[in-house]
Amino acid sequence: MLPDLNDQIEPYIWGDKLTRLGLPGRLLAVVLRFVYAMLRDFFSGQLTMRAMSLVYTTLLSIVPLLAVSFAVLKGFGVFSRLEPYLHDVLAPLGEQGEQITAQVLDLVNNVRGPVLGGVGLLFFLWTAISMVQKVEESFNYTWYVSKSRSLSRRFTEYLIVLLVGPLLMVTAIGLLTSIQSNTVVQWIMANPALGPLFVMFSKLVPYLLISAVFTFLYIFMPNTKVSLKSAIVGGIAGGFMWAAVAAIFTNFVLYASRTQQIYAGFAVAITTLIWLYLNWLILLIGAQLAFYHQYPAFLRSGRQVPRLSNAMRERIALDALYLVGRAFRTGDDGVTVADIGRHTGIPTIAILPILVSLEEAKLLKLTESEELLPGREMSRTRLAEILDIVRVYGETGSHRMPHWSPIVAKLGAELDTAFIDVVGEKTLADLLDEAEAAEKSA
């Protein structure tokens, strides 16, 4: 039944039945494509599984994470400004949220450097950094990134998130507070026409801050380049999803309070776990939406790796090394996997295995900044070697040598000879020279 239903829906989503209806039809088709992709990814179970994993990590890391971040705020004397917003995050839990907030703040206040000692402080830092690493891995999954940050980048950039992030948030809160006390703002609030609008905007501020935090995480956390526009789309969608779910969850907590006699003391723990799970799930859904906004070509295929012919794989390998070699020779900015994907119009998930094979053969080298460089002197990189690596990469072999029919073995040898005759001894440097000569003569 489901395959039949899918066959009926697909012509409307991916076909031209809606797009032929003009602008409204095209807009509806785009919305349906995003909804289809998000529902497909949700029901695949990966996002929910990773959200649950992050809940477990949060329980282990919440105190060290807050302690490290709030220690910076204490040093600047602005810790008290962030407390009301911590209450807002846990507000959907009702009275339990206030209780949990007070307990978390007490725990953070009890964390002191002299009490912890050197080993304890290092353990707190390691636990907090492990939490951020887990978040990065989940974001890398949504952005189809196979490699995490290097160890040096991980340490420095994670510390930026832990130390600078809370400080920037409190600075934004301080600016909003100072603006509200401004004389002009006071006049606006006294105005019967503009006052209600300003009050409505001030009520939206917590949700806008949540959206801003989401946007910052979508830009900074994945180990790839995320466009600001896509991060904002995901951040706004995530922020308002959070607001909607918070309102629903508040009513759920009020209803569930009638059944606390069943769960007794476990009610607080259960509702807290559910709320943490929903927060992480919304964050990952927003990241997935930002990814699809930046790479709409993945809307239909999702995580399914496109099947490429051998001829296309050979051209990808040659084009990738050509682009890397040209950037290296001209001194331009380094080439990344995403750059090759944009240049060829092929999803990076299909390109990456080919680049990995070239890297393993020492023909490519990946830098700390995730840029690709030639793995050796380009005048020693033969095109036949590049193509030969692609032709045999992925071969698993068998328990014994294959036996070919004599006529097939003879034809295969002739094809190999013809292949070598075409590329000859030409190298990557020769290919770049030909391209430069062609550009000059054009």
Side-chain angles (χ1 to χ4, degrees), residues 395-404:
E395 182 179 308
T396 58
S398 60
H399 67 284
R400 63 182 65 176
M401 288 297 294
H403 176 74
W404 308 116

Side-chain angles (χ1 to χ4, degrees), residues 303-331:
R303 300 198 70 84
Q304 181 181 358
V305 180
R307 294 183 179 180
L308 305 178
S309 66
N310 204 50
M312 185 173 289
R313 286 159 46 85
E314 291 173 358
R315 284 163 176 76
I316 290 173
L318 289 171
D319 211 354
L321 277 167
Y322 168 74
L323 294 172
V324 171
R326 186 180 64 181
F328 181 78
R329 177 178 283 191
T330 58

Side-chain angles (χ1 to χ4, degrees), residues 384-407:
E385 184 180 4
I386 299 172
L387 295 173
D388 194 48
I389 290 170
V390 176
R391 294 176 75 199
V392 301
Y393 176 74
E395 182 179 308
T396 58
S398 60
H399 67 284
R400 63 182 65 176
M401 288 297 294
H403 176 74
W404 308 116
S405 301
I407 189 64

Side-chain angles (χ1 to χ4, degrees), residues 184-199:
V184 177
V185 173
Q186 296 297 325
W187 176 82
I188 293 174
M189 293 183 67
N191 189 291
L194 300 177
L197 294 176
F198 187 83
V199 171

Side-chain angles (χ1 to χ4, degrees), residues 125-126 129-130 132-133 136-137 140 147-160 223 366-370:
L125 283 173
W126 176 82
I129 290 174
S130 298
V132 184
Q133 180 183 357
E136 185 205 344
E137 290 174 358
N140 284 344
K147 290 189 176 181
S148 300
R149 288 171 168 83
S150 62
L151 185 62
S152 58
R153 286 184 60 207
R154 194 178 301 165
F155 184 77
T156 55
E157 294 180 11
Y158 287 179
L159 282 180
I160 290 175
N223 190 28
L366 192 66
T367 67
E368 289 283 337
S369 57
E370 308 299 328

Side-chain angles (χ1 to χ4, degrees), residues 404-415:
W404 308 116
S405 301
I407 189 64
V408 173
K410 180 176 180 293
L411 181 60
E414 292 174 353
L415 290 173

